[in-house]
mmCIF file of all heavy atoms in Angstrom:
data_model
loop_
_atom_site.group_PDB
_atom_site.id
_atom_site.type_symbol
_atom_site.label_atom_id
_atom_site.label_comp_id
_atom_site.label_asym_id
_atom_site.label_seq_id
_atom_site.Cartn_x
_atom_site.Cartn_y
_atom_site.Cartn_z
ATOM 1 N N ARG A 244 -9.463 9.050 -7.222
ATOM 2 C CA ARG A 244 -10.423 9.906 -6.518
ATOM 3 C C ARG A 244 -9.679 10.807 -5.527
ATOM 4 O O ARG A 244 -9.549 10.487 -4.346
ATOM 5 C CB ARG A 244 -11.477 9.056 -5.798
ATOM 6 C CG ARG A 244 -12.401 8.302 -6.752
ATOM 7 C CD ARG A 244 -13.470 7.530 -5.999
ATOM 8 N NE ARG A 244 -14.368 6.833 -6.907
ATOM 9 C CZ ARG A 244 -15.458 7.364 -7.451
ATOM 10 N NH1 ARG A 244 -15.777 8.625 -7.154
ATOM 11 N NH2 ARG A 244 -16.223 6.669 -8.269
ATOM 12 N N PRO A 245 -9.181 11.954 -5.987
ATOM 13 C CA PRO A 245 -8.404 12.837 -5.116
ATOM 14 C C PRO A 245 -9.191 13.396 -3.935
ATOM 15 O O PRO A 245 -8.592 13.871 -2.973
ATOM 16 C CB PRO A 245 -7.956 13.956 -6.068
ATOM 17 C CG PRO A 245 -8.916 13.908 -7.211
ATOM 18 C CD PRO A 245 -9.282 12.467 -7.362
ATOM 19 N N ALA A 246 -10.534 13.339 -3.968
ATOM 20 C CA ALA A 246 -11.329 13.829 -2.848
ATOM 21 C C ALA A 246 -11.231 12.912 -1.629
ATOM 22 O O ALA A 246 -11.655 13.282 -0.535
ATOM 23 C CB ALA A 246 -12.792 13.993 -3.256
ATOM 24 N N ILE A 247 -10.675 11.711 -1.814
ATOM 25 C CA ILE A 247 -10.419 10.829 -0.674
ATOM 26 C C ILE A 247 -9.066 11.220 -0.107
ATOM 27 O O ILE A 247 -8.033 10.996 -0.735
ATOM 28 C CB ILE A 247 -10.447 9.349 -1.093
ATOM 29 C CG1 ILE A 247 -11.819 8.976 -1.639
ATOM 30 C CG2 ILE A 247 -10.082 8.458 0.084
ATOM 31 C CD1 ILE A 247 -11.905 7.572 -2.165
ATOM 32 N N SER A 248 -9.070 11.815 1.072
ATOM 33 C CA SER A 248 -7.838 12.405 1.588
ATOM 34 C C SER A 248 -7.815 12.378 3.106
ATOM 35 O O SER A 248 -8.846 12.584 3.759
ATOM 36 C CB SER A 248 -7.728 13.853 1.106
ATOM 37 O OG SER A 248 -6.572 14.476 1.618
ATOM 38 N N ARG A 249 -6.631 12.080 3.658
ATOM 39 C CA ARG A 249 -6.380 12.118 5.094
ATOM 40 C C ARG A 249 -7.439 11.332 5.865
ATOM 41 O O ARG A 249 -8.097 11.826 6.779
ATOM 42 C CB ARG A 249 -6.296 13.573 5.579
ATOM 43 C CG ARG A 249 -5.159 14.330 4.899
ATOM 44 C CD ARG A 249 -5.045 15.768 5.377
ATOM 45 N NE ARG A 249 -4.594 15.830 6.760
ATOM 46 C CZ ARG A 249 -3.307 15.733 7.161
ATOM 47 N NH1 ARG A 249 -2.348 15.533 6.271
ATOM 48 N NH2 ARG A 249 -2.998 15.820 8.432
ATOM 49 N N VAL A 250 -7.571 10.057 5.473
ATOM 50 C CA VAL A 250 -8.562 9.181 6.077
ATOM 51 C C VAL A 250 -7.997 7.766 6.160
ATOM 52 O O VAL A 250 -7.201 7.350 5.298
ATOM 53 C CB VAL A 250 -9.880 9.187 5.265
ATOM 54 C CG1 VAL A 250 -9.682 8.647 3.872
ATOM 55 C CG2 VAL A 250 -10.982 8.431 5.990
ATOM 56 N N ILE A 251 -8.374 7.037 7.201
ATOM 57 C CA ILE A 251 -8.018 5.620 7.337
ATOM 58 C C ILE A 251 -9.235 4.797 6.945
ATOM 59 O O ILE A 251 -10.328 4.994 7.486
ATOM 60 C CB ILE A 251 -7.587 5.296 8.777
ATOM 61 C CG1 ILE A 251 -6.328 6.095 9.146
ATOM 62 C CG2 ILE A 251 -7.324 3.798 8.938
ATOM 63 C CD1 ILE A 251 -5.908 5.946 10.590
ATOM 64 N N ILE A 252 -9.042 3.874 6.008
ATOM 65 C CA ILE A 252 -10.140 3.063 5.477
ATOM 66 C C ILE A 252 -9.873 1.593 5.782
ATOM 67 O O ILE A 252 -8.819 1.051 5.408
ATOM 68 C CB ILE A 252 -10.278 3.251 3.954
ATOM 69 C CG1 ILE A 252 -10.504 4.731 3.613
ATOM 70 C CG2 ILE A 252 -11.418 2.394 3.410
ATOM 71 C CD1 ILE A 252 -10.448 5.016 2.119
ATOM 72 N N GLU A 253 -10.820 0.948 6.448
ATOM 73 C CA GLU A 253 -10.736 -0.499 6.649
ATOM 74 C C GLU A 253 -11.484 -1.196 5.515
ATOM 75 O O GLU A 253 -12.490 -0.672 5.015
ATOM 76 C CB GLU A 253 -11.313 -0.876 8.012
ATOM 77 C CG GLU A 253 -10.486 -0.277 9.151
ATOM 78 C CD GLU A 253 -10.952 -0.671 10.542
ATOM 79 O OE1 GLU A 253 -12.052 -1.254 10.663
ATOM 80 O OE2 GLU A 253 -10.197 -0.412 11.497
ATOM 81 N N LEU A 254 -10.982 -2.375 5.128
ATOM 82 C CA LEU A 254 -11.497 -3.033 3.914
ATOM 83 C C LEU A 254 -11.603 -4.541 4.110
ATOM 84 O O LEU A 254 -10.654 -5.188 4.551
ATOM 85 C CB LEU A 254 -10.556 -2.740 2.738
ATOM 86 C CG LEU A 254 -10.975 -3.263 1.374
ATOM 87 C CD1 LEU A 254 -12.101 -2.408 0.785
ATOM 88 C CD2 LEU A 254 -9.784 -3.291 0.414
ATOM 89 N N THR A 255 -12.768 -5.084 3.782
ATOM 90 C CA THR A 255 -12.968 -6.536 3.758
ATOM 91 C C THR A 255 -13.830 -6.878 2.550
ATOM 92 O O THR A 255 -14.321 -6.006 1.839
ATOM 93 C CB THR A 255 -13.685 -7.037 5.026
ATOM 94 O OG1 THR A 255 -15.015 -6.491 5.059
ATOM 95 C CG2 THR A 255 -12.929 -6.633 6.290
ATOM 96 N N VAL A 256 -14.039 -8.156 2.352
ATOM 97 C CA VAL A 256 -15.002 -8.579 1.341
ATOM 98 C C VAL A 256 -16.389 -8.060 1.739
ATOM 99 O O VAL A 256 -16.669 -7.875 2.930
ATOM 100 C CB VAL A 256 -15.009 -10.118 1.207
ATOM 101 C CG1 VAL A 256 -15.571 -10.784 2.463
ATOM 102 C CG2 VAL A 256 -15.763 -10.568 -0.023
ATOM 103 N N GLY A 257 -17.222 -7.803 0.757
ATOM 104 C CA GLY A 257 -18.544 -7.266 1.067
ATOM 105 C C GLY A 257 -19.485 -7.398 -0.095
ATOM 106 O O GLY A 257 -19.260 -8.210 -1.003
ATOM 107 N N ASN A 258 -20.533 -6.598 -0.089
ATOM 108 C CA ASN A 258 -21.584 -6.700 -1.102
ATOM 109 C C ASN A 258 -21.698 -5.469 -1.992
ATOM 110 O O ASN A 258 -22.606 -5.393 -2.822
ATOM 111 C CB ASN A 258 -22.935 -6.949 -0.418
ATOM 112 C CG ASN A 258 -22.961 -8.248 0.368
ATOM 113 O OD1 ASN A 258 -22.493 -9.281 -0.123
ATOM 114 N ND2 ASN A 258 -23.473 -8.201 1.587
#
Side-chain angles (χ1 to χ4, degrees):
R244 293 183 179 273
I247 299 176
S248 178
R249 299 181 69 82
V250 63
I251 297 174
I252 302 172
E253 296 183 349
L254 184 75
T255 65
V256 68
N258 299 315

